[in-house]
């Protein structure tokens, strides 16, 4: 595991408004500590810099691992994963209630690979939405 300084860690978390940059789960509402993800893993030449780091919940980071791409479930063609530094979340995903729908190849591939809509994760979002703890995504 690559060392990320406390200063850089704080900057990444604040820049993300303490939400997972993939599934948008608020950090306060997670039982597990959020992690700093190398969007392009170091084994692929990714650097430990602001431009290649994002805040990720343990679920998203665990499912993403060092992957850069996956298959679009609709076309079965290889596509890059959503990149929180260069892509706009709302261009690739849409909330349907608690369900996160992929709108693009990148969105669909990322939603499936990172298992955004696994039953337990859907249930958590339903509870956050019902209790008013899920802020709109901009
Ligand atoms: Zn997440």
């Amino acid at each position: 595991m690559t060392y990320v300084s406390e200063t850089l860690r704080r900057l990444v978390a604040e820049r993300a408004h303490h939400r997972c940059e993939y599934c948008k789960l608020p950090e306060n509402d997670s039982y597990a500590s959020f992690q700093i993800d190398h969007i392009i893993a170091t084994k692929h030449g990714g650097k430990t810099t602001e431009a290649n780091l994002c805040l990720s919940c343990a679920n998203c980071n665990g499912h993403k691992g060092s992957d850069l791409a996956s298959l679009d479930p609709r076309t079965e063609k290889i596509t890059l994963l959503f990149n929180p530094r260069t892509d706009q979340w709302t261009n690739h995903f849409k909330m349907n209630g608690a369900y996160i729908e992929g709108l693009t190849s990148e969105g669909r591939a990322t939603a499936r690979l990172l298992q955004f809509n696994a039953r337990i994760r859907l249930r958590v979002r339903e509870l956050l939405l019902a209790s008013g703890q899920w802020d709109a995504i901009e």
Side-chain angles (χ1 to χ4, degrees), residues 20 22-25 56-57 59-60 116 121:
C20 174
Y22 294 109
C23 74
K24 296 296 183 184
L25 181 71
S56 178
C57 71
N59 269 316
C60 286
F116 283 177
R121 298 175 74 185

Side-chain angles (χ1 to χ4, degrees), residues 14-29:
E14 285 172 6
R15 179 178 63 189
H17 305 289
H18 298 275
R19 292 180 87 159
C20 174
E21 294 189 70
Y22 294 109
C23 74
K24 296 296 183 184
L25 181 71
E27 190 171 22
N28 286 344
D29 298 313

Side-chain angles (χ1 to χ4, degrees), residues 112-130:
R112 179 170 74 177
L113 182 71
L114 276 55
Q115 299 184 25
F116 283 177
N117 298 301
R119 179 185 277 257
I120 183 73
R121 298 175 74 185
L122 261 175
R123 186 69 187 129
V124 167
R125 281 195 296 275
E126 284 169 359
L127 291 169
L128 292 172
L129 280 163

Side-chain angles (χ1 to χ4, degrees), residues 6-110:
E6 193 50 45
T7 305
L8 195 49
R9 186 175 293 274
R10 191 167 36 247
L11 182 150
V12 170
E14 285 172 6
R15 179 178 63 189
H17 305 289
H18 298 275
R19 292 180 87 159
C20 174
E21 294 189 70
Y22 294 109
C23 74
K24 296 296 183 184
L25 181 71
E27 190 171 22
N28 286 344
D29 298 313
S30 174
Y31 61 90
S33 301
F34 275 21
Q35 302 165 353
I36 304 296
D37 173 50
H38 283 75
I39 298 165
I40 298 173
T42 54
K43 78 177 191 187
H44 297 298
K47 305 262 190 299
T48 305
T49 60
E50 292 175 45
N52 187 44
L53 298 175
C54 74
L55 188 67
S56 178
C57 71
N59 269 316
C60 286
N61 204 19
H63 293 300
K64 178 178 172 283
S66 62
D67 292 349
L68 303 174
S70 186
L71 299 178
D72 176 352
R74 184 174 296 170
T75 64
E76 295 301 324
K77 292 202 164 103
I78 290 179
T79 180
L80 290 174
L81 297 177
F82 171 74
N83 180 326
R85 292 285 69 77
T86 58
D87 297 327
Q88 183 72 36
W89 198 91
T90 51
N91 289 341
H92 294 277
F93 306 102
K94 179 176 119 184
M95 299 287 294
N96 273 336
Y99 188 90
I100 299 174
E101 179 185 344
L103 300 174
T104 60
S105 290
E106 291 87 344
R108 289 187 292 271
T110 302

